[in-house]
Amino acid sequence: MGDYDEDTAFLGQTGPYFWTTFFLLNTVFVSTGFNGLYIVFVGAAPKHHCLIPDVNLTDEWRDAIIPVRIVDGAEVQSQCSRYKLDVVRNLSAEGSIPGRGVNVTNLEQEGCLDGWIYSKDIYQSTIVTEWDLVCDNQWKVPFASSTLFVGYLVGSLISGQLSDRYGRKKVVFISLGAQCLSVLLQSFSHSWRMFCIMFLFVGASQISIYISAFVLTEVLSKTMRVLFTTLGAFLFYCIGYMTLPWIAYGIREWRTLLAVLSATSVVYIPLWFVPESPRWLITQGRVEEAEPIVRDAARRNKVDAPAIIFKESESKTYTMLDILKSKNIRCITLMCLLLMAINIGYFGLSLNTSNLSGNPFMNCFLSATTEVPAYVVSTWLLKKCPRRVLLSSFLVIGGGVLLLIQFIPDALQHVALALEMTGKFGFTMAFSIVYIYTAEIYPTVLRNVGMGMCSSAARIGSITAPYVIYLTYNKVLPYILMGSLTIASSVVNLFLPETLHKDLPETVEQMQECQ
């Protein structure tokens, strides 16, 4: 197989064909911003306390039946218990007054046997309010979040194989349709179990879109490919991420919110005009299909194509086992550990926005906005700086800031929020760098399989992220865990090969020689 970049150098680095393809491909990442984090609002837990049935109680006892505890100097009603209803009803019937001859703190307590009352100040309904996912059932919320990432794991394992066999473009469109249908069906969930099952399909289809569209950047020139994989794809993802809280702000009912999000998929129909990857067609030995695509690109860029563009080549099919056959490629699987740690930090902080003090919609918007400068800065730095130095630096920044949060007094919540957003900036920088780094390391014949394999390992980090942020018995422990893992992972990065100013390897042999 010849060098694709050299064979197609006559197309130039920019032009109408590349810019049109660039923007069409980028639009698909808006959907990943919508659908990747709506659980922040759909799974939010409003303020709640035990439901008191309509029994004969005086106003004083109805107000006093919910136990009160002191949290950070303020009185807070218990969310999972009440004073025993039979005892309170008898005291009320006897004419007793709470606090006057009756010490209510000594009364026997019971669980919320009649259900809960939820505040509607922020949300009209969520899966928490609909299926009472609080107290003993609180674990079901992070579990539901994790099913999305389990879907990511499943999608990562199969999408690479499918797109390497059937083509990048077909898998992108099939995954878009599957995502739209899964989100729509999820809005009709009649139980928590059905919600989780559909969330798994949402995750599998979403990561398939992400990986296949990311690899489909093979149709772009080297310059446009770098712009796409740093600023383009992530910035369009961020547009969807920033838009999500305002859609959720306008739609406070979770079923309607999901139905609206699923309907946004119709805007991706123009993606059909994006061609299949000529690189992939050549690796399949289908040169006669690749040449018309490149000639059409030359026509649209107003340049002349040579009579013969590609040389004859033999094709070979590769699988994940090929990644593990040589020492050099096995070393690159260390990237999996990096992606695992980065995913724990990134999704941990992203999912934690609903638990921060202040307006949850604004917190989510600020978290998304923090990513914009990170993507812009990373685009500029990737043009000039070695990948290993950049990645290790921002891993240390992100992890170090999270370790500092535990030393911030409770009275300085705004400082803690600023540090958390700084940590999000560091993780976002690392997130954007690590994906282009991965794409640059693997050769064309293994790129999709390799990225799928690394992405699968990263999903282990994503799956654990919801549980990390629910370590509520110690509010600083999640930050210590995420910070420590991130700093430790920066050392792993030093064992990977440098890819700055090197051509994308086409074959396994070229990949081995590039180190």
Side-chain angles (χ1 to χ4, degrees):
M1 178 179 175
D3 189 308
Y4 179 86
D5 288 325
E6 289 183 5
D7 291 340
T8 59
F10 63 88
L11 293 175
Q13 291 298 307
T14 59
Y17 168 79
F18 288 132
W19 281 113
T20 301
T21 305
F22 175 84
F23 283 109
L24 285 175
L25 276 177
N26 270 309
T27 57
V28 76
F29 290 92
V30 177
S31 72
T32 62
F34 281 153
N35 298 313
L37 292 167
Y38 62 66
I39 190 64
V40 170
F41 304 107
V42 170
K47 292 181 179 179
H48 54 277
H49 61 77
C50 291
L51 171 66
I52 308 302
D54 189 14
V55 296
N56 189 21
L57 294 177
T58 63
D59 292 339
E60 291 88 350
W61 279 108
R62 190 169 290 277
D63 292 336
I65 194 171
I66 305 297
V68 175
R69 56 194 178 94
I70 305 299
V71 178
D72 295 331
E75 290 187 349
V76 178
Q77 286 185 319
S78 173
Q79 296 181 330
C80 298
S81 64
R82 68 187 184 191
Y83 294 118
K84 199 166 185 178
L85 183 60
D86 291 341
V87 174
V88 172
R89 183 165 47 191
N90 292 335
L91 291 171
S92 177
E94 293 171 359
S96 301
I97 299 176
R100 297 181 186 178
V102 178
N103 186 353
V104 293
T105 59
N106 293 331
L107 297 179
E108 186 179 355
Q109 296 186 18
E110 63 184 2
C112 298
L113 304 181
D114 299 294
W116 288 262
I117 291 179
Y118 298 92
S119 169
K120 292 190 176 182
D121 292 341
I122 299 177
Y123 305 101
Q124 290 299 306
S125 71
T126 68
I127 62 171
V128 173
T129 65
E130 181 151 343
W131 297 311
D132 290 331
L133 306 183
V134 293
C135 301
D136 290 341
N137 287 325
Q138 186 179 10
W139 63 271
K140 293 183 178 181
V141 178
F143 185 91
S145 299
S146 290
T147 56
L148 174 73
F149 300 116
V150 172
Y152 281 3
L153 175 60
V154 174
S156 298
L157 290 171
I158 65 175
S159 63
Q161 299 287 340
L162 291 176
S163 59
D164 276 344
R165 182 172 182 178
Y166 299 108
R168 284 52 160 144
K169 181 178 177 179
K170 288 180 181 178
V171 173
V172 167
F173 268 90
I174 292 173
S175 300
L176 275 171
Q179 177 183 256
C180 175
L181 182 61
S182 299
V183 176
L184 183 61
L185 290 176
Q186 192 180 33
S187 70
F188 291 99
S189 297
H190 56 76
S191 67
W192 169 78
R193 289 183 179 85
M194 179 178 175
F195 181 92
C196 292
I197 292 171
M198 297 317 303
F199 216 14
L200 188 146
F201 285 104
V202 172
S205 57
Q206 183 178 332
I207 199 64
S208 296
I209 294 170
Y210 194 92
I211 293 176
S212 299
F214 201 91
V215 177
L216 191 52
T217 58
E218 293 171 338
V219 303
L220 300 174
S221 65
K222 185 185 300 185
T223 299
M224 298 293 289
R225 188 167 58 243
V226 172
L227 182 63
F228 180 98
T229 51
T230 53
L231 184 61
F234 294 111
L235 193 56
F236 274 75
Y237 160 81
C238 197
I239 290 172
Y241 187 4
M242 288 190 296
T243 307
L244 172 64
W246 303 118
I247 298 176
Y249 178 82
I251 304 174
R252 307 294 182 94
E253 202 279 323
W254 74 272
R255 293 183 184 274
T256 306
L257 175 61
L258 293 189
V260 170
L261 292 178
S262 69
T264 60
S265 296
V266 298
V267 303
Y268 304 118
I269 294 176
L271 275 171
W272 185 256
F273 295 101
V274 175
E276 181 56 88
S277 167
R279 286 180 185 261
W280 175 79
L281 290 171
I282 293 172
T283 62
Q284 302 299 304
R286 296 158 62 179
V287 179
E288 68 283 353
E289 297 178 48
E291 284 205 8
I293 295 174
V294 177
R295 291 190 186 279
D296 181 63
R299 179 185 60 79
R300 294 167 64 182
N301 277 357
K302 298 180 180 179
V303 296
D304 294 327
I308 299 177
I309 300 176
F310 304 112
K311 298 178 181 179
E312 293 290 334
S313 60
E314 295 182 359
S315 61
K316 179 183 177 181
T317 302
Y318 293 87
T319 66
M320 286 188 180
L321 294 178
D322 294 291
I323 298 178
L324 306 174
K325 285 184 178 178
S326 74
K327 179 180 179 180
N328 288 335
I329 298 183
R330 283 198 304 269
C331 178
I332 296 173
T333 57
L334 290 173
M335 185 70 74
C336 298
L337 298 177
L338 277 175
L339 283 163
M340 192 183 304
I342 293 172
N343 272 259
I344 289 177
Y346 177 83
F347 284 105
L349 292 180
S350 297
L351 294 171
N352 193 47
T353 52
S354 62
N355 297 327
L356 301 176
S357 58
N359 187 296
F361 303 103
M362 182 57 69
N363 288 340
C364 183
F365 178 75
L366 290 176
S367 180
T369 304
T370 302
E371 299 190 11
V372 175
Y375 296 139
V376 174
V377 173
S378 65
T379 300
W380 181 76
L381 291 177
L382 278 168
K383 294 179 180 179
K384 301 182 178 181
C385 301
R387 278 52 168 147
R388 286 186 298 187
V389 174
L390 278 180
L391 191 53
S392 292
S393 298
F394 286 105
L395 285 172
V396 171
I397 291 174
V401 167
L402 294 185
L403 291 176
L404 289 175
I405 289 180
Q406 60 182 308
F407 300 108
I408 304 300
D410 292 336
L412 300 177
Q413 290 297 320
H414 294 295
V415 177
L417 179 61
L419 282 176
E420 179 153 336
M421 294 305 166
T422 303
K424 182 68 180 299
F425 176 87
F427 279 109
T428 303
M429 288 286 294
F431 203 80
S432 61
I433 292 169
V434 76
Y435 270 97
I436 187 172
Y437 196 9
T438 306
E440 289 177 340
I441 285 177
Y442 286 109
T444 299
V445 294
L446 285 174
R447 187 167 298 122
N448 215 33
V449 175
M451 288 192 66
M453 182 177 181
C454 289
S455 186
S456 298
R459 295 316 129 206
I460 298 175
S462 303
I463 291 168
T464 59
Y467 293 98
V468 170
I469 65 172
Y470 273 89
L471 295 173
T472 51
Y473 58 87
N474 188 326
K475 65 180 182 179
V476 301
L477 187 57
Y479 298 106
I480 295 175
L481 180 59
M482 289 187 290
S484 301
L485 283 174
T486 305
I487 292 178
S489 67
S490 65
V491 178
V492 174
N493 179 52
L494 301 178
F495 294 95
L496 297 174
E498 182 56 62
T499 60
L500 180 64
H501 301 318
K502 293 185 178 180
D503 292 333
L504 284 180
E506 302 286 350
T507 65
V508 175
E509 291 73 23
Q510 290 178 4
M511 185 267 165
Q512 292 172 325
E513 294 170 358
C514 75
Q515 299 187 37

